[in-house]
Amino acid sequence: MDLAALEKQLRTLQADAATRISAAASTAELDELGSSLLGKRGAITEILRGIGALPADDRPKIGVVANEVRAAIDASVTARRVALSAGELLERIERERVDATTPGPAPRLGSLHPIPETIAAITEIMSSFGFVVAEGQEIEDDVTNFQLLNIPEDHPSRDLWDTLYLQEPGRLLRTHTSPGQIRTMQAGGPPIRVILPGRCFRYEAVDASHGFEFHQVEGLLVDRGATLADLKGILDELAKGLFGSAARTRFRPGYYPFTEPSVAVDVSWPGSKDGWMTILGAGMVHPVVLENGGIDPETHQGFAFGLGVERIAMLRHGIPDLRAFLENDLRFLAGFR
Amino acid sequence: MKIPLSWLREFTDVQLTAEQLADALTLRGLEVRGLERWGANWNKMVIGELLEVAPHPKADRLQLTKVRIGDGPILNIVCGARNIAAGQRIPVALVGAEMPDGRRIERAEKMGIASEGMLCSGQELDATDDGDGILILDASAPLGVPLVDYLGEEVIDVDVKPNRGDLLSILGLAREVGAITGAPVAYAARPLKEGADAVGAGLALRVTDEALAPHVVLRVVDGLKVAASPDRVQMRLKAAGLRSISNVVDATNYIMLELGKPTHAFDRAKVGETVQIRLAKKGESLETLDHEVRSLDATDLVVADERAALALAGVMGGASSEVSPSTTSVIVESAIFAPTSVRRTAQRHSLRSEASHRFERGQERRLAALGADQVAALLTEWAGGVARSGRLVSGAEEAPVTTLNFRPSRVRALLGVSLTDDEQVALLGSIGINADTVADASKIAVTPKRSVSAEKGSARAVRVPSWRSDLEIEADLAEEVARLYGYERIPTTIPSADLPPHRPSPTLLRDRVRRLLADAGVQEVVTHALVSAGHAALWSEPATLVTGPLAASEGSAGGASIVLQNPLSADHDRLRQSLLPSLLDRVDVNLRYGATSGAIFEVGRGYGSTKGGPTEWTRLAIAVWGDREQGAPSAGAAAWNLDELKRLLAQVAHLVGERPGYGASIESAVLHPGINAVITGERVAGVLGELHPASPIWRDEPRILLAEVAIAGLRAGRVAATHVSLPPATPPVTRDIALLIPAATTVGQVVAVARETITRATAVELFDLFDGPPLAPGERSAGLRFTFQPTATGADDEAIAAELAAFEGAVLRACGARVRGVEGQ
């Protein structure tokens, strides 16, 4: 084998390869063809095996030719790949096309019940004024639910609370969250800022605005100097937090045996249908109640308030009938997000 | 308390409209519940005068009338009433009028004669109960004027709070109105002309229990004729919400409304010679006016004669001495009774009356005599009676004058206002709480039982009006000052005093659990705590299920069911011990609403009665049914099953760092005996399973699954920060163990042994479970994968191998399960 023969072989290979490369129908075929020409055991390597028979002077020369041929083949493989892959990409795209506009499977969505969520909303507002949450017991005794709150036995004010009694004498289901005031004061002295949410019970026929089970949030603040003006300030903020910053409050005298003076709070907001809506009762903690809680009314004073959670939730969400809250129709609850 | 404004105007001048008055009263603490307008529906009804009344030619029962209506044409109206005569003024419904009962007045032929309207009875106008005759008006009634302008009435309904018994009267409300308007308030007592006979002739009064009846006044009125009350009186009582009964009974009711003083009229002929006020005797009974025979308790105070009880004092009269059409003489009893005694008697006999309502709230002493006199005066005026001279009286008429001291500086400090001392005193004076400049103002009543000394010159004294027994302490006067000043004028400030120390919210963990479940697609519900006996019997958590520190923090279930003494209904007569029956109930409701699948949860309380008293515990309950989520069109929907419920519980348990284990099933009426397990763990424990097939709401499709668990911190816990170590660079390794589990053994038992022996594993999962040939019947093949995190030195292989070997031995001994092979790197 001489230099010329070897060079001819390479040039023939180059010409032949050009034809085959341009005929390759897919990148896979092209890859196979490429490695059969240029790979470790490819055609060029095969031809260059004869190089050992050449004189030492000719070897570099044939090396130059081989590199030329290799580069030429490589270039045409690359060029052909670009051409082929563009088509193949289009083909893949068409092959894989789906209708991506289907609605997609709906996930099951849960939500939190409006009663605990309304409690959470109240808590969130009050916590910004330093009120912390505490929870009490639902089974109470007559003493804490009534007597220590300045509601003596046989007093007509008891008519304000129709009570569910347990068979065990002296025990009852709390009619309000107010006994928490006594328990909070007894558990630790002032300063006190506490929110007491929870379930309450009354002997009450069920209708659109009454139930025998309902929820209240009690608030209590006791320190040295809290005033009725402070009560107004805090509850005005609470009303605005619940019903929007455009809400207006109206404070008027109310009656609760455990506050003196007592306050009823009405709220109205743009779009509220019925003018002033009563949302809560409040007042300065009665000196007798402070004393029953172990606090000297000559050195400390404070205020307390109580909201009906169902009523607040009804007003905020425009719900006409509170029975819906305990009905738990999933279609109704799905409306709360 | 319903107040006809015309009545109010008899005691004070009211220039305000009804709406303005209602607003002003509401802002002063007398909440107005409603405003009624009597006669607002009297359209096309005017006052007419009868010019002629002649017999109808064809009908004996009808009369032909000619009626003049102001200057208009004379109307011909056919009328069936007998009490009409020419010259009377009467209400006329014109053609086109609509009567309160909805009837329309048309031009009509009545037995051949045209009738151009209708003459109205009190009943037809819904003004009195008299349906027999036409309502005859005063001769001074203005002709042609719309009837509403003459007879119409505005009525304000005020919600009177229990501490203000004095406001259960027109006069009491007038005092409040006077304080608002500044107009004077005066009560002009009707003069009483007494006859010659003395009240004491043949009648004595004996009060045996002066503590319960501190002051009693009797009057006797003779020679009266029982009949209907004057129309005006009937209308006024009706507007105030009372039914007219007879002139005698109406007189007592009229004074009760006017002065707030209940009195009672006994038929003199049915009463013996001594009126006694005494406690009932054992075994004594009394038929009350409602014709119930009531057996009396020895603590019931009665009005009696020498023979028998006649009335429940302050509550209701008796049938035997009831005023009847034949009555000609009455004893008017007007007394002050102890509020508590009246309240107890009224409660004991479930007999709340207008009278007992007022007695319970306390009575002003001086009203006893005034009330008796005013009733007697009305009886002479309305029933032609003659009052005997004098009264029979027991006890003192006047209560001692009370003074009350207050520190204006304390009022300022309590209210946050800058009202001067004199301004405060002036405000109190506007409602009749007048300054007492003579009294010693040094003692301040802080509570009814505790007084303090005021600094010299810092306090003021006021005289408490006899009708304001609610004013007892300094704070009561502070409220009056605030009320009379106007709450709306008190400033609005934010308290800036000391803040309490931080205390974590008890709902921190609970809120995270709730949020997690909601985000996982489970809907929160809130259900009744009060359930039925059937509900309660379904399931109550055994005390052995949640124990140790978990029971201590979340409450220990157990004890007897707590039953109400006075339930509203059998459906809600006891407190639940478990949330599951309540949730099932909601599942049932939602299935009926067409929810073929769903997932709900509640965090709530169970209640039980133990030796130490009632207890409450906190649990999370979950109920799921049907599809877990909507599937893709290609794949089917994924249904809820035990594993999916466990996946959910594992997520919840992760919040408290717990990997729950599952132990032996339990027998109950609520869980499928073959598809349930107890959940075990230090920080999570409970039960889960499918609904028992015997349950009435069980169905083959969809299956309903339930879980109820205690979670450490759910009641009042915080989410504690945990120590976390940095992982080494070496990747975790796994070991897969194949086991052959005999028929009687559960996977839970095997896993429990693995957890005890292979303590280095960071995770255990079941990756394969297989039964059937070639295995023996009941035998199962299980594949457990353990994950270990090797330390950086990599020297754990031997330790892991040792634990696996220990497991192999232990699981064979404890469960009879044979390890078939271990694989892993």
Side-chain angles (χ1 to χ4, degrees):
Chain A
M1 189 71 73
D2 62 4
L3 177 67
L6 216 52
E7 188 176 343
K8 190 172 176 226
Q9 267 187 356
L10 283 169
R11 293 294 179 198
T12 307
L13 179 70
Q14 184 182 353
D16 184 39
T19 315
R20 288 169 66 194
I21 285 167
S22 61
S26 70
T27 50
E29 191 186 329
L30 186 67
D31 287 345
E32 205 172 298
L33 184 57
S35 61
S36 75
L37 295 168
L38 305 171
K40 267 186 190 169
R41 292 176 192 172
I44 292 181
T45 315
E46 202 58 38
I47 291 167
L48 291 181
R49 283 224 175 107
I51 205 166
L54 290 186
D57 289 357
D58 289 347
R59 287 180 196 171
K61 289 175 188 161
I62 199 68
V64 170
V65 174
N67 282 345
E68 269 178 37
V69 170
R70 198 187 296 271
I73 291 174
D74 197 48
S76 42
V77 165
T78 302
R80 182 67 186 151
R81 177 173 285 118
V82 168
L84 278 175
S85 58
E88 276 176 21
L89 187 61
L90 284 175
E91 193 194 330
R92 167 177 293 273
I93 286 167
E94 280 316 306
R95 194 172 64 240
E96 294 182 352
R97 184 179 293 281
V98 295
D99 179 359
T101 67
T102 57
R108 179 172 294 285
L109 300 168
S111 73
L112 296 173
H113 192 279
I115 293 303
E117 280 305 274
T118 301
I119 291 173
I122 295 165
T123 307
E124 193 272 324
I125 297 162
M126 295 313 295
S127 66
S128 71
F129 296 106
F131 285 74
V132 297
V133 177
E135 291 173 314
Q137 56 204 71
E138 292 168 24
I139 301 169
E140 267 294 357
D141 50 49
D142 190 273
V143 172
T144 318
N145 193 76
F146 289 126
Q147 296 171 38
L148 294 178
L149 288 166
N150 197 31
I151 311 163
E153 279 184 286
D154 296 318
H155 193 273
S157 59
R158 287 227 174 179
D159 293 349
L160 297 174
W161 298 274
D162 291 317
T163 309
L164 287 164
Y165 293 96
L166 306 192
Q167 289 183 334
E168 187 185 343
R171 299 259 193 212
L172 47 81
L173 297 177
R174 67 175 175 195
T175 56
H176 46 189
T177 41
S178 307
Q181 289 187 33
I182 295 290
R183 296 193 182 279
T184 301
M185 287 190 274
Q186 287 175 342
I192 293 169
R193 291 190 189 201
V194 72
I195 285 288
L196 303 151
R199 190 187 291 252
C200 303
F201 302 80
R202 290 208 191 149
Y203 185 92
E204 187 127 37
V206 176
D207 64 24
S209 49
H210 298 87
F212 56 87
E213 288 183 35
F214 58 98
H215 296 76
Q216 278 192 345
V217 173
E218 192 86 1
L220 175 69
L221 181 151
V222 179
D223 59 27
R224 288 177 187 279
T227 65
L228 187 60
D230 291 337
L231 174 156
K232 284 184 70 178
I234 290 279
L235 295 183
D236 188 62
E237 292 290 331
L238 177 58
K240 286 184 163 61
L242 289 173
F243 296 101
S245 53
R248 292 185 306 131
T249 47
R250 182 172 81 165
F251 293 81
R252 55 187 172 84
Y255 171 70
Y256 306 99
F258 35 94
T259 50
E260 191 78 39
S262 296
V263 185
V265 184
D266 304 331
V267 65
S268 109
W269 62 94
S272 66
K273 271 181 288 190
D274 303 307
W276 292 110
M277 311 290 285
T278 305
I279 56 161
L280 57 84
M284 303 304 292
V285 182
H286 197 285
V288 166
V289 175
L290 284 171
E291 218 167 54
N292 290 338
I295 294 173
D296 183 356
E298 278 291 279
T299 58
H300 287 85
Q301 61 193 43
F303 59 82
F305 57 90
L307 305 92
V309 178
E310 277 79 0
R311 178 162 175 77
I312 301 290
M314 286 168 83
L315 291 174
R316 290 180 90 211
H317 299 285
I319 298 160
D321 189 332
L322 63 66
R323 285 170 287 201
F325 294 127
L326 283 167
E327 175 79 357
N328 293 295
D329 184 336
L330 292 177
R331 296 168 299 176
F332 167 71
L333 295 176
F336 299 92
R337 292 292 168 228
Chain B
M1 177 80 195
K2 289 185 167 183
I3 313 152
L5 291 192
S6 70
W7 206 341
L8 189 70
R9 289 197 174 95
E10 290 182 8
F11 307 117
T12 189
D13 185 27
V14 184
Q15 297 291 337
L16 304 173
T17 66
E19 285 81 5
Q20 287 169 332
L21 185 61
D23 280 350
L25 286 170
T26 297
L27 284 175
R28 292 296 170 274
L30 303 169
E31 189 176 349
V32 172
R33 280 185 295 217
L35 256 178
E36 291 172 38
R37 280 174 207 283
W38 282 76
N41 55 351
W42 294 338
N43 294 314
K44 294 206 158 198
M45 294 185 206
V46 296
I47 297 169
E49 183 182 15
L50 286 165
L51 297 177
E52 279 179 46
V53 178
H56 191 289
K58 292 185 189 160
D60 288 348
R61 300 212 326 273
L62 297 179
Q63 304 193 79
L64 305 181
T65 69
K66 288 197 182 301
V67 180
R68 189 159 62 106
I69 309 287
D71 301 333
I74 306 297
L75 301 177
N76 293 302
I77 296 176
V78 179
C79 178
R82 310 305 305 176
N83 68 331
I84 48 174
Q88 289 171 337
R89 302 214 162 175
I90 33 70
V92 182
L94 303 175
V95 168
E98 190 178 332
M99 303 306 292
D101 66 3
R103 193 155 44 111
R104 244 187 196 302
I105 302 304
E106 316 276 4
R107 190 180 305 274
E109 293 268 312
K110 290 193 175 168
M111 303 292 283
I113 298 192
S115 184
E116 303 166 301
M118 189 179 83
L119 310 187
C120 306
S121 72
Q123 195 179 52
E124 283 163 334
L125 292 171
D126 197 22
T128 72
D129 289 334
D130 182 5
D132 292 337
I134 299 305
L135 183 69
I136 309 299
L137 307 175
D138 281 357
S140 62
L143 271 190
V145 163
L147 190 62
V148 58
D149 292 349
Y150 180 64
L151 283 187
E153 181 74 273
E154 287 175 311
V155 182
I156 287 186
D157 186 6
V158 176
D159 181 19
V160 175
K161 305 299 185 190
N163 62 331
R164 291 299 302 274
D166 63 305
L167 298 182
L168 292 168
S169 66
I170 310 290
L171 179 60
L173 266 312
R175 288 190 202 107
E176 290 286 335
V177 172
I180 292 167
T181 61
V185 181
Y187 181 74
R190 298 166 186 83
L192 175 63
K193 259 202 302 206
E194 295 181 326
D197 295 344
V199 68
L203 186 66
L205 167 64
R206 204 168 83 226
V207 176
T208 55
D209 196 327
E210 293 197 346
L212 297 184
H215 184 38
V216 181
V217 173
L218 301 183
R219 267 204 177 269
V220 175
V221 180
D222 297 324
L224 39 78
K225 185 174 181 334
V226 176
S229 292
D231 290 327
R232 281 270 190 183
V233 171
Q234 292 191 35
M235 281 185 264
R236 198 167 250 193
L237 288 176
K238 197 177 170 87
L242 288 189
R243 224 159 48 87
S244 172
I245 294 173
S246 69
N247 50 5
V248 175
V249 176
D250 288 357
T252 61
N253 283 338
Y254 198 88
I255 294 305
M256 178 179 74
L257 293 177
E258 186 169 286
L259 289 175
K261 181 74 207 88
T263 60
H264 187 69
F266 297 87
D267 186 340
R268 176 68 190 92
K270 311 283 175 62
V271 182
E273 295 184 347
T274 309
V275 170
Q276 304 180 355
I277 314 284
R278 60 165 170 82
L279 287 171
K281 295 169 187 156
K282 226 184 165 111
E284 198 170 12
S285 67
L286 170 69
E287 183 183 346
T288 40
L289 284 175
D290 54 4
H291 299 295
E292 292 259 341
V293 177
R294 300 173 186 274
S295 45
L296 303 180
D297 186 274
T299 60
D300 288 332
L301 191 70
V302 295
V303 180
D305 64 6
E306 55 275 26
R307 299 179 297 254
L310 301 173
L312 275 175
V315 181
M316 192 175 274
S320 72
S321 54
E322 182 176 6
V323 170
S324 73
S326 61
T327 300
T328 58
S329 174
V330 295
I331 301 171
V332 178
E333 164 249 306
S334 180
I336 305 300
F337 296 121
T340 303
S341 159
V342 173
R343 181 174 170 84
R344 286 193 182 155
T345 293
Q347 272 181 334
R348 184 178 302 122
H349 297 288
S350 300
L351 192 57
R352 292 297 182 72
S353 64
E354 290 278 344
S356 72
H357 191 71
R358 286 172 173 80
F359 277 111
E360 284 179 26
R361 283 150 178 76
Q363 292 270 298
E364 204 185 333
R365 272 202 179 207
R366 62 176 190 95
L367 289 183
L370 183 61
D373 289 0
Q374 291 303 297
V375 170
L378 288 183
L379 290 178
T380 60
E381 187 186 330
W382 297 350
V386 178
R388 290 194 172 202
S389 70
R391 317 172 182 119
L392 290 175
V393 178
S394 157
E397 179 176 347
E398 286 295 332
V401 175
T402 354
T403 60
L404 187 54
N405 303 331
F406 73 105
R407 294 160 291 184
S409 59
R410 282 286 294 168
V411 173
R412 283 189 287 273
L414 193 66
L415 304 184
V417 295
S418 55
L419 287 167
T420 65
D421 297 13
D422 288 342
E423 283 170 335
Q424 294 184 30
V425 170
L427 283 169
L428 293 171
S430 73
I431 193 88
I433 306 169
N434 294 314
D436 186 337
T437 50
V438 186
D440 168 23
S442 65
K443 282 277 174 232
I444 305 294
V446 175
T447 73
K449 287 180 185 155
R450 181 180 163 210
S451 291
V452 298
S453 297
E455 277 176 44
K456 203 169 165 53
S458 71
R460 293 289 192 94
V462 290
R463 276 194 301 277
V464 177
S466 55
W467 54 87
R468 290 302 303 274
S469 56
D470 61 302
L471 301 176
E472 291 183 290
I473 58 172
E474 184 181 49
D476 293 331
L477 291 179
E479 177 171 74
E480 286 302 296
V481 169
R483 196 168 75 84
L484 295 162
Y485 181 58
Y487 281 22
E488 70 278 10
R489 294 165 70 192
I490 289 171
T492 299
T493 54
I494 296 292
S496 57
D498 310 337
L499 285 172
H502 172 72
R503 244 174 280 137
S505 167
T507 68
L508 283 176
L509 177 71
R510 197 186 315 157
D511 289 345
R512 285 192 65 175
V513 168
R514 293 170 52 237
R515 185 81 258 170
L516 181 151
L517 286 167
D519 288 349
V522 190
Q523 173 63 50
E524 183 175 37
V525 297
V526 172
T527 65
H528 278 295
L530 288 168
V531 298
S532 67
H535 252 74
L538 267 183
W539 161 252
S540 59
E541 183 184 299
T544 49
L545 202 59
V546 177
T547 55
L550 188 55
S553 76
E554 302 313 304
S556 176
S561 196
I562 295 178
V563 183
L564 296 182
Q565 181 201 307
N566 59 334
L568 282 139
S569 74
D571 285 343
H572 303 281
D573 70 348
R574 64 198 61 216
L575 286 165
R576 67 184 175 197
Q577 292 200 277
S578 159
L579 307 183
L580 287 183
S582 304
L583 281 199
L584 268 179
D585 197 36
R586 295 303 97 192
V587 174
D588 188 25
V589 162
N590 278 292
L591 282 167
R592 281 192 269 121
Y593 287 147
T596 52
S597 65
I600 58 178
F601 79 93
E602 180 173 17
V603 178
R605 297 187 189 188
Y607 313 79
S609 171
T610 65
K611 269 187 196 156
T615 57
E616 301 174 24
W617 54 90
T618 303
R619 298 291 183 264
L620 162 69
I622 302 173
V624 295
W625 69 99
D627 294 342
R628 183 169 55 80
E629 51 188 29
Q630 188 194 331
S634 51
W640 280 106
N641 57 35
L642 216 51
D643 277 335
E644 292 303 335
L645 186 54
K646 285 177 177 173
R647 191 198 303 277
L648 199 59
L649 284 168
Q651 284 180 274
V652 171
H654 178 66
L655 290 176
V656 291
E658 180 70 82
R659 289 178 295 147
Y662 297 97
S665 61
I666 58 172
E667 289 290 330
S668 77
V670 76
L671 294 178
H672 192 304
I675 311 178
N676 83 71
V678 302
I679 302 162
T680 59
E682 272 175 35
R683 278 160 282 178
V684 177
V687 289
L688 90 169
E690 247 188 51
L691 177 63
H692 199 297
S695 162
I697 78 159
W698 181 89
R699 46 196 74 197
D700 201 26
E701 192 63 41
R703 292 295 177 97
I704 299 162
L705 288 98
L706 303 162
E708 185 173 40
V709 290
I711 301 167
L714 200 59
R715 176 148 79 177
R718 50 206 305 186
V719 182
T722 51
H723 281 275
V724 179
S725 46
L726 294 174
T730 47
V733 299
T734 59
R735 296 287 186 275
D736 291 349
I737 298 184
L739 289 138
L740 208 56
I741 303 178
T745 302
T746 65
V747 175
Q749 288 171 307
V750 172
V751 171
V753 172
R755 287 224 172 130
E756 265 172 44
T757 50
I758 309 178
T759 57
R760 287 168 175 266
T762 55
V764 186
E765 73 188 274
L766 178 72
F767 68 90
D768 184 37
L769 190 63
F770 168 80
D771 61 5
L775 301 181
E779 204 175 39
R780 289 182 293 169
S781 164
L784 289 176
R785 175 166 298 151
F786 297 86
T787 305
F788 301 91
Q789 176 57 60
T791 54
T793 57
D796 317 78
D797 279 5
E798 278 176 31
I800 291 171
E803 285 197 348
L804 291 178
F807 168 66
E808 191 171 341
V811 80
L812 182 62
R813 276 194 310 279
C815 311
R818 197 176 304 280
V819 172
R820 297 202 301 177
V822 179
E823 277 180 28
Q825 357 101 48

